[in-house]
Amino acid sequence: MNEVSKHVNGLAGQRAEARAEDDPATAEVRQEVRGGSRPVGDTEGGHTLESEPPFHVWPTIESIPVDSGARDDHGAEHSAGDRAEAAGEAVVERHPGGREHAAGGAAKTPNVDDGTRNEVGTESMVASQVLWDSTLAASRLQEAISAAPATGEHAEAPSPVVTVALLVDGHPADLRTCVDALIHHTDAKILALDLGDVDGAGVVLHELAERHPERITAWHVAETPYWRGGTAGWGAGRDKLLRLDTEGVHVVMDTATIVDGDAITPLARAVTGEVVAAGWKGVDPGESGHDWHEAGPGEVRGLLGYLMAVRRDAALEAGGFPAEARYDRHADLEFSLRLPGKLVVPEGRLPVRRERRRSAPDVDTEYGEADSRRTDDRIAGLLRSGDR
């Protein structure tokens, strides 16, 4: 066990005194202690401090930097340059002759400014090669979405084009079942954000990431979800996952959704042409715009976030996930309505099931209803504006 610093012990002592005097500053001191990765517990005689978790904990969702030097579960740094280089290497690995072909083609490309031909190694040739590489990556998107591993096996290396994003808000047993199924049945990369290690779910996520380091990237924050008494919003968490992702297809998935086969590949393959998102469950609005009914297969007006594959560039173009949404009820629908393109439910039955539904103890009824009404008002505005 790591030793507790004098600073953290001092903060915990201040908290105990504030608690004894019923001081409102108690919560603020507690958050500062949690931000230092030292969960504090109350006892009759004062306080207790637990040991540091075996993973890096960021204080808030907002504090995780997207473009430079962010440390994940293992303390590894991720920068935009590293991610771009890794994406390029994935293309080259799958198409080893690509660079030679690009160089040869660039050497024969006329320069429209002076009528001459580019020489291999010149600045204009490099620009042509980069353009070719990016075009190749886009044109091979569907080809790179590979079939799931055979029964009894699992892919050690993730797909270079698909990421499944999980927002972890507790329910460790569901999380373990969900991730184990994804590892067994698909080759998708898994990107997970743990909100406050509720019920030990963050520890379970860390264990899974340790077991499958090539498949799982885990992030942890100290703040807990709004719907469980904390400060972390659903929209903020989902948007951070979207911006941390680097792949072409971003899959929104709830940890209560379990795949019994490869349900990811059919959704990813459906995201092509004018289709920007494909989901397991689609819905269409009633006349009032507040009531929705199940729809699909085929084109639908909205998609639900149980399991939804979206083209990441389209999601970013739409502004990402709604930051106003603190709770997920109907916020997944709002997100899908903002996407600039067609939404579909693929033909055929997907091997997917729901492990559970959110129960009353998870979400305060009054809070959930109030937040849902605000989301519904924004959805109604989108429908009135004709955006959907």
Side-chain angles (χ1 to χ4, degrees):
M1 178 181 295
N2 297 324
E3 292 185 2
V4 181
S5 70
K6 292 181 179 180
H7 171 67
V8 174
N9 250 326
L11 287 173
Q14 292 174 35
R15 182 177 182 280
E17 293 174 5
R19 174 171 166 260
E21 298 172 5
D22 196 24
D23 188 334
T26 298
E28 296 179 14
V29 177
R30 176 169 189 156
Q31 181 62 31
E32 189 172 348
V33 176
R34 285 187 61 85
S37 303
R38 288 288 180 178
V40 58
D42 298 323
T43 66
E44 290 186 8
H47 65 272
T48 60
L49 286 170
E50 300 174 9
S51 61
E52 288 187 2
F55 43 78
H56 182 78
V57 180
W58 292 84
T60 64
I61 293 172
E62 185 179 4
S63 69
I64 301 176
V66 173
D67 293 325
S68 61
R71 286 195 293 165
D72 65 9
D73 186 316
H74 298 86
E77 291 193 358
H78 298 261
S79 69
D82 293 339
R83 293 193 295 265
E85 182 178 352
E89 288 174 353
V91 173
V92 173
E93 182 177 352
R94 284 187 173 244
H95 309 283
R99 291 198 181 278
E100 291 79 1
H101 183 71
K108 298 176 183 178
T109 303
N111 186 315
V112 295
D113 293 329
D114 58 12
T116 62
R117 296 179 183 274
N118 294 335
E119 296 299 328
V120 176
T122 63
E123 182 177 350
S124 54
M125 172 264 152
V126 172
S128 298
Q129 178 174 325
V130 170
L131 176 61
W132 189 93
D133 281 349
S134 62
T135 304
L136 172 65
S139 67
R140 295 297 189 184
L141 180 62
Q142 296 301 313
E143 178 183 318
I145 300 173
S146 58
T151 302
E153 303 175 355
H154 66 263
E156 294 295 340
S159 163
V161 292
V162 181
T163 296
V164 174
L166 303 175
L167 194 61
V168 181
D169 64 343
H171 309 283
D174 286 352
L175 172 65
R176 190 182 297 277
T177 302
C178 174
V179 172
D180 282 346
L182 285 169
I183 294 293
H184 182 73
H185 293 297
T186 80
D187 66 350
K189 170 183 171 182
I190 300 170
L191 179 63
L193 175 58
D194 158 46
L195 305 180
D197 190 23
V198 176
D199 301 328
V203 173
V204 170
L205 175 60
H206 175 70
E207 292 172 355
L208 291 166
E210 288 279 291
R211 190 181 308 161
H212 306 285
E214 300 302 319
R215 296 285 305 275
I216 303 173
T217 300
W219 298 86
H220 303 262
V221 295
E223 61 177 342
T224 55
Y226 264 111
W227 55 97
R228 304 200 71 171
T231 57
W234 182 88
R238 278 290 169 194
D239 198 66
K240 182 65 70 172
L241 284 167
L242 177 67
R243 295 174 194 281
L244 286 170
D245 191 7
T246 60
E247 310 304 342
V249 178
H250 182 86
V251 178
V252 179
M253 187 174 185
D254 188 275
T255 56
T257 301
I258 311 300
V259 297
D260 293 321
D262 182 17
I264 305 301
T265 298
L267 293 176
R269 284 179 174 162
V271 180
T272 183
E274 295 181 345
V275 176
V276 295
W280 176 41
K281 296 290 185 182
V283 290
D284 283 338
E287 292 184 5
S288 68
H290 287 280
D291 298 321
W292 294 75
H293 57 270
E294 189 168 347
E299 186 173 357
V300 296
R301 296 286 294 280
L303 292 170
L304 302 182
Y306 302 133
L307 184 62
M308 176 202 318
V310 58
R311 215 177 68 214
R312 192 172 65 89
D313 62 345
L316 292 171
E317 178 185 339
F321 287 83
E324 310 93 326
R326 296 178 175 181
Y327 177 40
D328 66 348
R329 187 185 295 169
H330 305 169
D332 49 357
L333 175 59
E334 178 186 2
F335 166 71
S336 72
L337 289 172
R338 291 179 174 185
L339 295 173
K342 292 184 178 180
L343 315 177
V344 302
V345 173
E347 298 283 346
R349 179 182 176 277
L350 291 176
V352 184
R353 59 186 167 87
R354 289 284 289 168
E355 188 71 7
R356 60 172 171 80
R357 289 183 179 274
R358 299 292 185 192
S359 58
D362 283 350
V363 181
D364 177 81
T365 302
E366 184 177 348
Y367 164 77
E369 291 297 333
D371 197 72
S372 295
R373 282 195 296 272
R374 288 190 289 269
T375 301
D376 287 344
D377 288 342
R378 294 194 300 271
I379 289 174
L382 287 171
L383 295 175
R384 285 195 300 270
S385 69
D387 289 344
R388 276 289 171 192

